[in-house]
Amino acid sequence: MLSKFDYKSCEKLIFELAWRELFHHVWLHQGDSIFEHLEHAQAFESEQIPEAVLNNTTGIHGIDRELKKLSNGGIIYNHARMWVASLVCNFAKTSWKSGARWMYCLLLDGDLASN
């Protein structure tokens, strides 16, 4: 890439590829322990994804728009993934593992090591 384009044009793609590579190495060294709580267990009330998230009816226009893209085409950009994760885990008190499984099944670019 750098032989054809300047660094500034490639920077974000290089960063994303390096980030994904890092987490593949972490997964290789940590094994399936990456699927457990790394610091301390969190208390969750539910294993179910909230209906408003599943139906794209959270009432938050930007998030509902991104959820429609996810459910219709398997695409949701990184910041929207974090917004949805916050709604699911922090506000709805749903287990992060349930949220991760649900989103992974919908994502075209799902990658256990980095998602």
Side-chain angles (χ1 to χ4, degrees), residues 32-114:
D32 287 345
S33 69
I34 67 167
F35 300 112
E36 301 305 322
H37 302 288
L38 296 178
E39 293 183 16
H40 56 83
Q42 294 174 294
F44 294 103
E45 298 171 4
S46 176
E47 294 291 326
Q48 301 297 317
I49 305 301
E51 290 292 322
V53 171
L54 295 174
N55 297 325
N56 315 323
T57 57
T58 66
I60 304 169
H61 176 72
I63 290 177
D64 290 341
R65 182 187 64 235
E66 295 302 318
L67 284 169
K68 286 177 189 170
K69 290 179 189 175
L70 176 62
S71 60
N72 292 333
I75 297 169
I76 186 170
Y77 77 98
N78 193 45
H79 279 88
R81 292 177 194 204
M82 291 185 280
W83 301 334
V84 171
S86 181
L87 282 176
V88 170
C89 298
N90 298 325
F91 291 98
K93 303 285 188 220
T94 303
S95 164
W96 67 268
K97 290 180 182 183
S98 295
R101 280 190 298 269
W102 165 75
M103 191 171 281
Y104 178 76
C105 288
L106 294 174
L107 286 168
L108 288 177
D109 66 343
D111 180 351
L112 291 176
S114 58

